[in-house]
Structures are given as structure tokens and as C-alpha cells.
Amino acid sequence: RKEVEQDPGPFNVPEGATVAFNCTYSNSASQSFFWYRQDCRKEPKLLMSVYSSGNEDGRFTAQLNRASQYISLLIRDSKLSDSATYLCVVNNPGEDSSYKLIFGSGTRLLVRP
Amino acid sequence: AAGVIQSPRHLIKEKRETATLKCYPIPRHDTVYWYQQGPGQDPQFLISFYEKMQSDKGSIPDRFSAQQFSDYHSELNMSSLELGDSALYFCASSTRGGLTDTQYFGPGTRLTVL
């Protein structure tokens, strides 16, 4: 079982739709949480950090439930440019006060005209 | 804003050859991470360095080694290359800032082993 689990999708939605992605993590020691976006053959790019009870950035809202070890990402008013793979990422404590990112397998989003 | 720089962007090697990948972190970032992403897979943590010392180790094969230099750039050295080493190799950097430690990724080096 992976440490970070995501629905792989793909989610195929029309422009303007609202779409939600879910993610669960297994390590209760995970300290911080992120959503990264990755376009095909490109590097992961930070979309949002998720702290405490969650946060909002424009059309994007991320929620964290530590008790359930569950993270979500809501995208409102989807744009064609939102088409990408969305990676749920947790920051786990490693050795020597360092942290390392553990990635989910990603959820693929396709926004159609 | 300056980003993480990786070189080369593409590399083609034969089996059993060696390869060196370079990473230049964002200015004033003191921590460097290396990740490997195979085709259709999520990035896997290999190794990290803080202030030129190895700080954590993940699923890095013994054939690979890495170091961070005094100017904070890092190199990943890969020897006895195998077909399965073909992947995207990402470097990320951050500042050692406690819980946040947001990592920013470079564009990656695409390694193809023939």
C-alpha cells in the first residue's frame, strides 16, 4: 500500500465544471501537505500548500483533515489550462531534522471545451 | 525569479556507462533533493543534502552517489548504468525552514540508457 493514495482518474470534465480530488496518507507523523501540478514530461510545480484546516487560492481550495489523514483539492470553474496531473504530496520527517516529499501517483484531469 | 537549474536537460548513455547530473539550487537555498521519476510513475526520493552534508537517503541504488559542493550546487553520479535507470531525474531545493520546507523543482534531466 502506498503511503499517499490518490484516485488516478482521469477526470474528464467540461470547461466551467467543478472537480474535486481526494487523497489519503498513512503516516500520522506527516507534517505538511501540498498539491503539486505536473504537466506531461515537465517538473512538478507547487500549486498550493495545505496547512491546518486548509486554504483557498482563487479557484482552488485545499482542505486537510488530520484526524482522518485526508486531503482534498477543489477546482472551481475549470479552464482548459487546468488539464494536468495533480500530485498529492506529504512532507515526512526524515533523518537529521530533514524532510522528504512523498508523492501520490497523481490524478489526471482533462478539461474539454 | 531564479529557479532551480539542471544540466544537462537530456542525456543518452549506453549500458554500463557513467553519467553525472548537475543541479544548481535557487539562490540562498541550502537544501537539495534528488528524485527519480520513471515512465508513468510518481517521483521517488533518492537523497538530500543540507549544508553540504547528506541529510537523508531514500531508494538510491549503491551504484549512485551524490554530493553538495561549497556553492550549494549538487551532482548526482551514476555508474554501471542499467536500462531501468532511464527516467526523469529532478532536483529540488528549499531552505531549512522547519515544517514548511517547500521544495521547488528544476526542469529535470531526461536520462535514456540504451
Side-chain angles (χ1 to χ4, degrees):
Chain A
R1 183 170 177 257
K2 282 180 68 70
E3 273 196 68
V4 180
E5 298 265 14
Q6 289 183 253
D7 181 342
F11 285 60
N12 191 325
V13 303
E15 268 188 294
T18 295
V19 61
F21 303 141
N22 301 320
C23 169
T24 57
Y25 61 96
S26 60
N27 188 344
S28 58
S30 296
Q31 297 287 348
S32 50
F33 310 89
F34 308 91
W35 285 99
Y36 278 76
R37 170 198 169 125
Q38 187 171 29
D39 293 281
C40 188
R41 302 165 81 89
K42 298 283 185 68
E43 74 273 24
K45 291 189 176 176
L46 180 66
L47 179 66
M48 297 181 74
S49 303
V50 190
Y51 302 120
S52 58
S53 59
N55 51 295
E56 182 175 321
D57 183 3
R59 298 182 294 108
F60 300 85
T61 301
Q63 295 282 339
L64 168 66
N65 184 321
R66 281 189 183 269
S68 303
Q69 297 182 195
Y70 170 89
I71 309 159
S72 66
L73 176 68
L74 183 76
I75 305 176
R76 291 181 297 276
D77 188 23
S78 299
K79 312 289 185 193
L80 295 177
S81 57
D82 293 335
S83 297
T85 296
Y86 290 82
L87 298 163
C88 177
V89 185
V90 305
N91 208 355
N92 283 355
E95 303 167 12
D96 187 29
S97 302
S98 70
Y99 292 85
K100 56 184 177 184
L101 297 183
I102 306 297
F103 287 80
S105 298
T107 299
R108 191 162 168 228
L109 173 65
L110 301 172
V111 181
R112 62 180 188 270
Chain B
V4 178
I5 297 171
Q6 289 188 248
S7 68
R9 295 292 308 278
H10 302 272
L11 190 58
I12 299 175
K13 290 285 185 178
E14 302 266 343
K15 277 172 56 176
R16 292 181 287 278
E17 285 192 320
T18 61
T20 297
L21 278 52
K22 297 185 179 183
C23 169
Y24 297 85
I26 292 171
R28 292 181 292 284
H29 280 195
D30 50 24
T31 308
V32 168
Y33 311 79
W34 286 97
Y35 294 85
Q36 177 192 60
Q37 186 173 25
Q41 302 190 349
D42 48 279
Q44 296 292 316
F45 171 74
L46 293 178
I47 196 166
S48 62
F49 291 86
Y50 167 65
E51 286 290 345
K52 293 149 278 184
M53 298 288 289
Q54 179 183 308
S55 61
D56 203 355
K57 201 170 180 180
S59 51
I60 184 169
D62 292 340
R63 299 176 289 107
F64 294 6
S65 65
Q67 57 183 323
Q68 186 180 31
F69 295 86
S70 57
D71 63 352
Y72 295 101
H73 95 272
S74 178
E75 294 183 3
L76 178 65
N77 299 294
M78 311 160 73
S79 62
S80 302
L81 287 169
E82 302 174 356
L83 296 178
D85 296 330
S86 295
L88 261 172
Y89 289 84
F90 291 112
C91 171
S93 73
S94 73
T95 53
R96 181 66 72 90
L99 295 183
T100 59
D101 240 20
T102 302
Q103 297 182 25
Y104 296 91
F105 283 75
T109 294
R110 181 171 296 279
L111 172 67
T112 303
V113 181
L114 302 176

